[in-house]
Amino acid sequence: MSGRFATGAKFSEVPEWNILCDIPAARKVYESRLFKQMICVGSDVTRQLVLKIEEAKIKLEKKSLTIILDMAKIWFNERMKMTLHDPLAGSIIFNNSICTYKRGYTDIDGQTGVTYWKDSEDGPITAVEAVNYSEFIKFFFSLI
């Protein structure tokens, strides 16, 4: 879960947080070509997975999720929504049909951390292109 892979999108010239935290390490991973295939979930897609506080509280009220709800209360004190970035990355391990994908290469600007995507059928990176919101929500909350 790192990067942004949409071109011309609202945040396309803004570095993604996980890459910004360690630009040299991210560049090594993306540019190493050691992986035959890498599946990446960018924040250009995960930013679509927003739950308003009221909906998140309802979904987290299950007995098995009360500990998550307790931790989320700190988050809810300062924010009006919860974005499910990492849950999407985890979910596609079990159900990759909730997303569509594209193949290509990415370059990372060594100064800013901005990712630049290039479509290519023989590229080593498979990036999530889009997510079916309702299918993701149904699948994820049925898992947990």
Side-chain angles (χ1 to χ4, degrees):
M1 208 316 314
S2 72
R4 290 194 177 95
F5 307 101
T7 54
K10 179 180 177 184
F11 294 103
S12 63
E13 294 296 321
V14 178
E16 186 273 331
W17 178 253
N18 290 326
I19 289 181
L20 189 59
C21 288
D22 195 339
I23 296 169
R27 287 185 76 196
K28 284 182 182 179
V29 170
Y30 281 99
E31 296 171 2
S32 71
R33 310 295 189 244
L34 292 175
F35 304 100
K36 291 183 180 181
Q37 182 178 356
M38 183 183 340
I39 299 174
C40 298
V41 181
S43 64
D44 51 301
V45 174
T46 63
R47 285 182 178 274
Q48 300 169 33
L49 303 176
V50 176
L51 291 177
K52 292 181 180 174
I53 290 175
E54 300 79 26
E55 185 181 3
K57 285 180 178 178
I58 290 168
K59 294 201 175 293
L60 295 173
E61 283 179 345
K62 294 179 185 178
K63 187 174 182 179
S64 61
L65 300 177
T66 55
I67 191 167
I68 296 172
L69 180 58
D70 287 343
M71 290 186 290
K73 286 177 184 174
I74 296 168
W75 181 265
F76 295 150
N77 286 337
E78 297 181 16
R79 294 164 184 86
M80 302 303 293
K81 64 182 180 179
M82 173 185 277
T83 305
L84 303 172
H85 298 286
D86 296 321
L88 179 60
S91 293
I92 65 171
I93 293 169
F94 304 102
N95 181 358
N96 65 1
S97 69
I98 57 178
C99 295
T100 58
Y101 304 86
K102 61 184 178 181
R103 290 195 53 115
Y105 294 88
T106 193
D107 290 316
I108 300 172
D109 183 295
Q111 299 299 313
T112 66
V114 171
T115 51
Y116 296 97
W117 178 259
K118 180 182 177 195
D119 288 324
S120 175
E121 286 299 316
D122 64 342
I125 299 172
T126 299
V128 172
E129 185 171 37
V131 60
N132 181 318
Y133 181 89
S134 59
E135 288 298 314
F136 163 73
I137 294 294
K138 186 169 82 175
F139 176 77
F140 180 69
F141 284 101
S142 74
L143 270 182
I144 59 171

